[in-house]
Structure formats: C-alpha cells, structure tokens
C-alpha cells in the first residue's frame, strides 16, 4: 500500500471512529437524562461499530491501532485517547462531553466520563505506570483538591498529529537533535572495506544480543567523526530509518529535563524507525557531570543508540560494545581518489593518499571541486575570444589540464585541514627556499634527507613493505638545535616550501593547561588535525614541552609526567613530520631523543657563511650601493641578527630616499649590538663618503 492510499484509509477509519464516539456520548447523555434519547440508538451504535471495524482492515493498520500495539494500550485506553483527541478534531465533542456529564461547565473529557461511556473500563489505566501517562499521551489538568477522575484530560499535540497520519518528529526534540545522518548515504560512495568490516561487526553483535528490544549501545571509537557517522548511518540503514545526532553538550543539566528528553526520544523511536547518534567526540569520560548525564540518558532511552567517543567509555548506561572506526587506509584512499578522478590521475591519487589522511566525504568533495573548477576555467578560456582560444591551445592539451587539476587538488587538500589546525596552532606563511638557506654541507644534506623521506614514504612503507613490519614510528621527527638566529625556523620553512605543505608553529600557551586532562585533550586534537593534512608541526623552544620528567614528589609532578608520557606517545604515532627546535638540547627528555630520526645541529655561522648570508639577505629589488660583504662578515653575529640589520638599514634608506649603503648598514649594526648589549669597536663602523672604511 502506498502512502497516499494508507492516508486515505486512515482518514476513513478516524472519521468512522469519531462518528462512533459521538453516538457513544449521545447515548451516555440520554442515560444521564441530559439530552433526549436518539431513536434506535443501539442499532445505530452497532452499525457505527461495524463500519469502524471494517475501516480498520487496512495494512499497515490505522494509526490509533498501530500506536496501541507499539505502546501496549488496551482497547479501553485506545478509546480514552480517541475521546481526548476527538475534542481537538470534532467541534461537537465538547458539547457532547458536557451533556454526558450533566454539567455545562465540563465540556471536556474526564476519566470518569470514559468509564461511563466505554465498555470494560479499567481503573488502573490512569496509573503513572500505564501507557497513557507513562508515555505522556495525555495531559491531566488537576487543580488543587479536585479528584483525578474528574480532572480534564487532553491529548498531546504530537499524538493528535500522529493519529491523523502526520508522523513528523516532535518539535520539542528539534532544539537537541541535529540533521539526520541517513542523508550522507544518498550522496556518498559505498564504505571502504575497512569501515564496512566494522559495520558488519556491529550488525553481528546486535543479532547476537539476548534482548532484541533493547539492543546494546554501539560505542564508535576513533578520531574521525565523519567516518563514524557514515558507519552509523550504514549500520542503521533500513526502510525509513533515520539516524539523528545528539551532542553531549546539549543534554539538559537537570535530571527531570534529562528524563523528559529521554522519554520523548523513546516515544519517537516507537512511533517511527529511528536511531540516535550521541556525539561525545570532544568529551572526556573522566568528566563526572557529563558522564553522569550521558549514562542517565542512555539508561532511559529506547531504540538503537550509537555513542561516538575517542576512547572507550567504561559505563555507557546500559550494555555496550566498542568498535574502532578509522579513516580509510592509505590504499583505500588511493582507490577512492582514483574512482573520483579517473585513470588519468593515477599518479596524483597515489601522491594524495600518501601525504593526506582524508575520509571518504572529503575525498569525493575535493575531487569534484577540482574537476569542476578546471572545467569552468577551460570553458571560460575557450569562450573569451578566438585569439585567447588559439593562444591557449597548448593548455588544452591532455597534459596541461591534468597538471592543473592536480595542483588544484593539492591546494584544496591543504586548505581542507587548515580550519581545525588554525584554531590550535599558528600557521607560518612559508617563503624561504633552498637557495636562501646558508648552512654547512653536512647540515644541508640532512635537511634534504628529511624532505626526501617525507616525499618517499609511500614507496618505502607501502610498496617495499616496511610498513607491514612497523606499527609505530612511521612518522619522521627531527630536532633542530643551535643558538637563536642560526636558521632553525628558516630551515623548517624551506622544507615546508619544498614539500608544498602547511607549517604550523605550536604555541605552548595554547597547549598546556593547568586543568587535569586538558593538556592531553589539546594535544590529541592537535595531532589528529595535523594528521589529516600531513602538516609539518614545528615545536619552537621544544625543551619547554619535551622537558625531562622529574621525580614524583607531589601530584603536580605526577600529572606533569603523565603529560610528557602522553606527548611522547602521540609523537611516536604521528605519521607526519614533527620538528623540534631548541637551543637547550640537554634539557630535552632522553626518551624523546632516542626516538628522533634526525638531529641537526645549527652551528654559529663562520665568516664565509656570514658573507654568504649578507649577499642573500637583500631582495633583488632593493636599491643597493656597492657593499663590502667581506667587511660585514667580520661581525660575529647570527643569520637572524643579519636579517634584522638589513631590515633596519632598508627602513633608514627608505626614510632618507637613498640607496641602502654601507654607512646605513653600519648604523643598523650599531643598533643591533646595543640591543644585544654587546661591545663593538667604533672603528669598524666608520665609513667615508667614497664608500671606503676610514
């Protein structure tokens, strides 16, 4: 039976039921001598009952009968509900109620009236444990001192709509629930095998559950919310089933409100097929108030329940089991890229899967955006003018669009992960390149090795099988050690520029918290966000965060050591490049040093290196007088100091509207030395107008 046919049948049944109800009330009014008796009332009642019974022969059954079966309503209780709903659906019901009760001041249903009108009355029907009151199908208006049986009854608005065939979500839940997750399945491709395996495990655990009416909670563990939502939508997939989200933070604080929410949800899950996805991704199980709220809600909520959390919750409020839901594996991501882009982009699919760690939705969206932008650009160029079309003939070759799409793909992948990381760390706009970096050959070679290992991870770990023998340490970590200004930050920029990756400086104040557990939470969010985009993490002044663990003398020492241990664990499992920079290598915990793949010592630059730095420090467009780089290299300062001096000299020249000259640079040298509180010989700072040292 299609929906419209059922709606017509349900309307016919409801109309027949109301006609029967009015006859029942008229008969009760006549019995109370409040109205004249209708002729042949018994025959008319029998005929109305027969018509009502005939109208009930539809499949699925009418809403009232279906509701009674789902919620356990007796026939008498169904008629009580019909009486209360009739007051809202038929204008004459109120007048008939008053006549049947012999009181014009009572134009409303009461339990006493229902007992007088309907057969097989049951006093326990208004008990708080019976469905009418337990499921809040009725509202009772009982002023002080009035008997319960004489108090006005009113049907819940949601139930009245349901009886008419309008099965929409209760408005009172709208402020708590998010959009249904089943919409994800309409546009997304099928789940990758690793995630489908987890879904199959969920279904298996449910089939084996002893109580099929109260299935155990499926705890979905892992860092990626989107993948867990996709898995939940797939696991609960069925005819008409919708999976709604509920954030833990939106749960009411008061127990009574929490119980009301749980009851309304349970009632909704009985009225039509629903499943609930409780999002506790950013919550810690150790938070007592949140844990208690979730436990109380789940304990009272019925239906299919998913609990999304980064780690297992030891007590979810009722029986539960845990399933790990991760993002697609590297090979699965490669297959997803290939499916979305086509065979022409096989090399790009391999590169993207090796560098970025994205879920199914992100891959499909980014691929579609890159392909559509490339197509739009080609159409615009072709339509601009015949000359433009002919001049772009080379760009219309098969190779050019592929390269254009792949560049766009890479940039979109980088941009996709920026919002989360931007909220957790400081993104550095990388501008330095290899040719600007001045280092001894040994250090420069180590930096090239670091960049090469990042770019060749797919070959070594996947193609050559090293990843099959390793379950940790797949990332690359390096320590840059040396005095301030020796080029540690610039070297990180150079690597990021060479690899075309985002570089983030970790702000210690944004990570470390005085509240127990918050530091670990911040670190977890940081590493998870960086993992997605293959970002380079740059821990400046790393000794403050990676310092040596101390002897435990009080609770502060114990929690500080826990934070260091957690950081050590996350650094070891991070698949990307993490760079630690410090001028105090001896202060860093030895456990970190043992796990570092590279240690690069940045020495204080010698005269030859300082001269090379001076020769590269000014941009090509800077107007320069002839400079004595050999003389400038005699000042024993770092590359950072040289950059500050060059910048100050440029501002002096711009203010005087002259070229940058030796006198201006030496004036800036004097300023820098005073800032450093170092002694300088004035004879080294005197330069004549001919551009020579005096």
């Amino acid at each position: 039976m299609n929906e419209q046919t059922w709606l017509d049948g349900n309307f016919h049944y409801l109309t027949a039921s109301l006609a029967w109800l009015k006859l029942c009330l008229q008969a009760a009014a006549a019995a109370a001598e409040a109205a004249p008796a209708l002729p042949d009332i018994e025959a008319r009642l029998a005929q109305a009952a027969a018509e009502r019974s005939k109208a009930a022969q539809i499949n699925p059954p009418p809403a009232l009968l279906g509701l009674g079966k789902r919620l356990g309503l007796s026939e008498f209780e169904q008629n009580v509900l019909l009486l209360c709903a009739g007051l809202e659906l038929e204008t004459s019901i109120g007048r008939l109620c008053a006549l049947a009760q012999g009181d014009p001041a009572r134009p409303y249903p009461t339990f006493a009236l229902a007992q007088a009108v309907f057969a097989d009355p049951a006093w326990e029907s208004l008990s708080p444990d019976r469905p009418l009151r337990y499921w809040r199908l009725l509202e009772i208006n009982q002023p002080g001192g009035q008997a319960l049986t004489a108090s006005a009854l009113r049907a819940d608005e949601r139930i009245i709509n349901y009886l008419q065939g309008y099965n929409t979500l209760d408005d009172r839940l709208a402020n708590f629930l998010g959009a249904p997750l089943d919409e994800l399945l309409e546009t997304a491709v099928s789940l990758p095998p690793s995630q489908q395996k987890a879904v199959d495990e969920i279904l298996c655990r449910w089939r084996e559950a002893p109580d099929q009416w109260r299935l155990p909670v499926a705890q979905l563990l892992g860092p990626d919310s989107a993948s867990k939502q996709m898995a939940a939508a797939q696991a609960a997939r069925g005819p008409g089933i919708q999976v709604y989200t509920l954030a833990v933070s939106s749960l009411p604080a008061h127990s009574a409100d929490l119980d009301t929410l749980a009851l309304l949800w349970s009632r909704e899950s009985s009225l039509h097929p629903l499943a609930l996805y409780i999002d506790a991704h950013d919550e810690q199980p150790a938070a007592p108030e949140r844990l208690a709220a979730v436990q109380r809600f789940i304990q009272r909520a019925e239906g299919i329940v998913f609990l999304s959390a980064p780690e297992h919750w030891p007590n979810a409020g009722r029986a539960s089991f845990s399933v790990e839901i991760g993002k697609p594996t590297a090979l699965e991501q490669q297959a997803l890229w290939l499916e979305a882009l086509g065979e022409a982009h096989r090399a790009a699919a391999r590169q993207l899967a090796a560098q970025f760690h994205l879920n199914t939705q992100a891959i499909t969206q980014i691929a579609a955006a890159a392909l559509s932008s490339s197509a739009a650009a080609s159409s615009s160029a072709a339509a601009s003018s015949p000359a433009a079309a002919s001049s772009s003939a080379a760009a219309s070759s098969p190779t050019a669009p592929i390269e254009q799409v792949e560049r766009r793909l890479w940039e979109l992948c980088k941009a996709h992960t920026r919002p989360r990381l931007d909220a957790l760390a400081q993104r550095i706009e990388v501008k330095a390149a290899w040719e600007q970096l001045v280092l001894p050959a040994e250090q420069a070679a180590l930096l090239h090795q670091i960049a090469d290992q990042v770019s060749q991870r797919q070959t070594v770990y996947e193609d050559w099988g090293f990843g099959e023998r390793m379950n940790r340490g797949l990332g690359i970590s390096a320590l840059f050690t040396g005095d301030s200004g020796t080029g540690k930050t610039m070297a990180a920029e150079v690597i990021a520029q060479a690899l075309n990756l985002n570089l983030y400086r970790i702000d210690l104040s944004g990570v470390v918290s005085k509240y127990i557990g918050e530091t670990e939470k911040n670190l977890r969010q940081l590493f998870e966000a960086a993992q997605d985009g293959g970002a380079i993490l740059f821990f400046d002044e790393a000794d403050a965060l990676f310092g040596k663990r101390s002897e435990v003398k009080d609770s502060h020492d114990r929690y500080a050591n826990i934070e260091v241990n957690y950081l050590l664990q996350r650094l070891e499992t991070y698949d990307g490049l993490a760079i630690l920079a410090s001028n105090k290598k001896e202060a860093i915990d030895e456990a970190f040093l043992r796990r570092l793949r590279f240690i690069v010592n940045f020495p204080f630059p010698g005269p030859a290196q300082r001269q090379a730095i001076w020769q590269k420090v000014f941009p090509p467009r800077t107007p320069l007088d002839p400079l004595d780089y050999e003389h400038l290299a005699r000042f024993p300062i770092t590359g950072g100091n040289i950059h500050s001096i060059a910048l100050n000299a440029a501002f002096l020249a711009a203010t005087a509207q002259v070229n940058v000259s030796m006198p201006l640079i030496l004036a800036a040298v004097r300023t820098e030395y005073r800032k450093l509180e170092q002694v300088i010989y004035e004879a080294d700072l005197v330069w004549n107008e001919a551009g020579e040292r005096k």
Side-chain angles (χ1 to χ4, degrees):
M1 180 180 293
N2 62 41
E3 183 178 2
Q4 187 57 51
T5 303
W6 181 87
L7 285 172
D8 293 340
N10 184 72
F11 178 76
H12 180 57
Y13 172 81
L14 191 58
T15 302
S17 296
L18 291 174
W20 171 80
L21 174 63
K22 287 192 289 184
L23 286 174
C24 290
L25 290 172
Q26 288 172 354
E33 298 181 353
L38 293 174
D40 302 326
I41 184 65
E42 294 297 333
R44 295 175 66 178
L45 269 172
Q47 182 180 359
E51 291 178 357
R52 185 190 185 199
S53 178
K54 182 180 179 181
Q57 304 305 312
I58 60 174
N59 189 24
L64 178 60
L65 300 182
L67 180 69
K69 184 176 182 180
R70 289 189 182 95
L71 301 184
L73 294 168
S74 67
E75 183 177 354
F76 173 73
E77 289 167 335
Q78 292 179 38
N79 289 333
V80 173
L81 183 59
L82 174 66
L83 174 63
C84 296
L87 184 67
E88 308 292 338
L89 301 175
E90 179 64 60
T91 56
S92 62
I93 297 294
R95 179 180 61 82
L96 292 174
C97 286
L99 290 174
Q101 295 179 96
D103 187 352
R106 298 165 69 184
Y108 49 75
T110 64
F111 187 62
L113 174 62
Q115 287 184 312
V117 170
F118 303 124
D120 300 324
W123 284 99
E124 68 271 13
S125 294
L126 279 192
S127 167
D129 296 331
R130 289 296 300 167
L132 286 176
R133 292 185 64 186
Y134 177 83
W135 292 112
R136 303 191 183 184
L137 306 180
L138 301 179
E139 300 172 5
I140 303 176
N141 182 16
Q142 186 180 13
Q146 189 176 48
L148 178 64
T149 56
S151 299
L153 303 179
R154 184 173 184 177
D156 183 79
E157 180 182 356
R158 166 72 175 99
I159 300 303
I160 294 173
N161 291 332
Y162 181 82
L163 295 181
Q164 296 180 86
Y166 305 124
N167 195 11
T168 57
L169 192 71
D170 195 317
D171 291 340
R172 287 164 289 189
L173 294 173
N175 294 330
F176 300 95
L177 302 180
L181 294 182
D182 54 295
E183 296 178 359
L184 294 173
L185 298 177
E186 297 176 2
T187 56
V189 296
S190 59
L191 293 181
S194 61
Q195 294 179 356
Q196 185 60 50
K197 182 179 179 181
V199 170
D200 293 340
E201 181 180 350
I202 294 173
L203 297 176
C204 180
R205 298 291 291 269
W206 281 344
R207 284 193 297 268
E208 296 173 352
D211 186 357
Q212 289 296 307
W213 293 103
R214 190 170 172 82
L215 294 174
V217 175
Q219 293 197 41
L220 308 183
L221 311 183
D224 185 52
S225 294
S227 294
K228 291 189 288 187
Q229 290 176 356
M230 281 284 293
Q234 182 67 35
R237 195 170 192 173
I241 294 181
Q242 292 181 308
V243 184
Y244 284 92
T245 58
L246 173 66
V248 169
S249 58
S250 68
L251 288 174
H254 299 292
S255 299
D257 296 333
L258 193 68
D259 293 347
T260 299
L261 179 64
L263 185 138
L264 289 176
W265 169 261
S266 298
R267 193 176 75 178
E268 284 301 304
S269 63
S270 298
L271 297 181
H272 49 179
L274 295 176
L276 188 62
Y277 179 94
I278 301 177
D279 188 358
H281 182 76
D282 293 327
E283 299 295 331
Q284 293 290 334
E289 66 285 352
R290 288 295 180 201
L291 179 59
V294 174
Q295 289 173 341
R296 186 182 183 93
F297 178 82
I298 293 179
Q299 187 178 26
R300 287 159 173 76
E302 300 292 339
I304 296 174
V305 176
F306 298 95
L307 176 62
S308 167
E311 301 171 355
H312 173 75
W313 285 50
N315 184 358
R318 71 185 199 222
S320 69
F321 60 90
S322 297
V323 177
E324 191 79 27
I325 307 289
K327 288 182 181 177
T329 65
L331 290 178
E332 290 172 346
Q333 290 179 53
Q334 184 174 332
L336 288 168
W337 281 117
L338 194 59
E339 181 180 354
L341 296 171
E343 189 63 33
H345 297 279
R346 177 171 290 276
R350 173 185 168 85
Q351 267 191 322
L352 293 167
Q355 185 57 55
F356 301 100
H357 194 47
L358 304 177
N359 56 44
T360 304
Q361 296 95 310
I363 290 174
T364 54
Q365 290 169 5
I366 290 172
L371 292 173
S372 62
S373 63
S374 175
S378 300
S379 300
S380 176
S384 59
S385 67
S390 60
S391 65
S392 61
S396 64
S397 65
T399 306
I402 290 177
E403 294 176 350
Q404 179 184 2
V405 169
E406 292 176 358
R407 285 196 300 269
R408 180 66 174 154
L409 283 168
W410 193 272
E411 293 303 321
L412 286 173
C413 287
K414 287 171 58 180
H416 176 77
T417 56
R418 281 176 186 163
R420 282 185 66 194
L421 268 172
D422 285 347
L424 301 167
Q426 176 192 359
R427 181 157 53 93
I428 300 176
E429 291 290 343
V430 294
K431 299 179 180 179
W434 288 113
E435 58 270 14
Q436 297 172 252
L437 193 62
V438 178
L439 283 174
E442 180 182 352
Q443 282 75 11
L446 285 175
L447 297 180
H448 278 284
Q449 282 189 46
I450 294 172
D452 291 341
Q453 288 201 12
V454 174
S455 62
Q456 296 299 324
R457 286 178 302 173
Q458 178 85 350
T459 300
V460 174
Y461 293 146
E462 300 292 340
D463 298 348
W464 294 359
F466 274 80
E468 299 173 3
R469 300 187 177 186
M470 303 167 63
N471 56 8
R472 57 182 181 178
L474 298 179
I476 300 168
S477 54
L479 172 65
F480 292 176
T481 179
D483 293 338
S484 298
T486 52
K488 299 186 294 294
T489 303
M490 186 178 183
E493 287 189 44
V494 168
I495 294 175
Q497 177 83 311
L499 297 171
N500 193 14
L501 295 175
N502 292 319
L503 175 64
Y504 282 87
R505 177 187 284 116
I506 309 306
D507 182 9
L508 192 63
S509 63
V511 173
V512 177
S513 173
K514 65 179 180 179
Y515 298 105
I516 296 173
E518 282 298 309
T519 299
E520 292 91 328
K521 177 182 175 180
N522 294 337
L523 287 169
R524 174 175 58 82
Q525 292 176 339
L526 174 67
F527 278 102
E528 287 175 1
Q531 184 91 359
D532 293 350
I536 299 175
L537 298 180
F538 183 70
F539 294 88
D540 203 3
E541 299 182 2
D543 49 277
L545 193 57
F546 295 82
K548 293 183 177 180
R549 285 163 286 191
S550 58
E551 180 183 353
V552 176
K553 298 179 180 178
D554 54 29
S555 60
H556 296 288
D557 294 334
R558 181 167 61 254
Y559 287 120
N561 287 346
I562 290 174
E563 291 172 357
V564 174
N565 291 335
Y566 183 80
L567 181 57
L568 177 61
Q569 171 194 345
R570 291 311 304 240
L571 186 67
E572 194 169 22
T573 57
Y574 179 55
D575 288 347
L577 172 58
I579 299 175
L580 287 61
S582 174
N583 54 10
K584 299 178 181 178
K585 177 183 174 183
E586 67 281 356
I588 295 181
D589 193 287
E590 292 181 1
F592 286 110
L593 294 178
R594 286 197 305 270
R595 288 165 171 81
L596 294 172
R597 192 173 297 185
F598 294 94
I599 296 181
V600 184
N601 295 304
F602 286 73
F604 195 93
Q609 292 174 336
R610 293 197 295 269
Q611 183 171 340
I613 295 173
W614 275 112
Q615 290 170 339
K616 296 179 179 182
V617 72
F618 291 103
R621 295 199 303 271
T622 306
L624 298 175
D625 282 348
L627 303 179
D628 189 342
Y629 294 109
E630 185 177 353
H631 177 73
L632 293 173
R634 295 175 183 173
F635 296 105
I637 51 179
T638 65
N641 300 134
I642 292 174
H643 181 270
S644 296
I645 292 170
L647 190 62
N648 288 335
F651 274 105
L652 290 174
T655 302
Q657 297 185 352
V658 297
N659 293 348
V660 176
S661 61
M662 284 296 294
L664 293 178
I665 294 176
L666 294 175
V669 169
R670 180 185 290 108
T671 301
E672 187 72 11
Y673 267 76
R674 287 175 179 172
K675 180 184 75 175
L676 298 174
E677 297 182 351
Q678 292 184 4
V679 178
I680 188 172
Y681 294 103
E682 287 295 326
D684 292 335
L685 302 176
V686 179
W687 212 262
N688 62 26
E689 295 181 357
E692 299 173 348
R693 181 182 177 188
K694 289 185 179 179

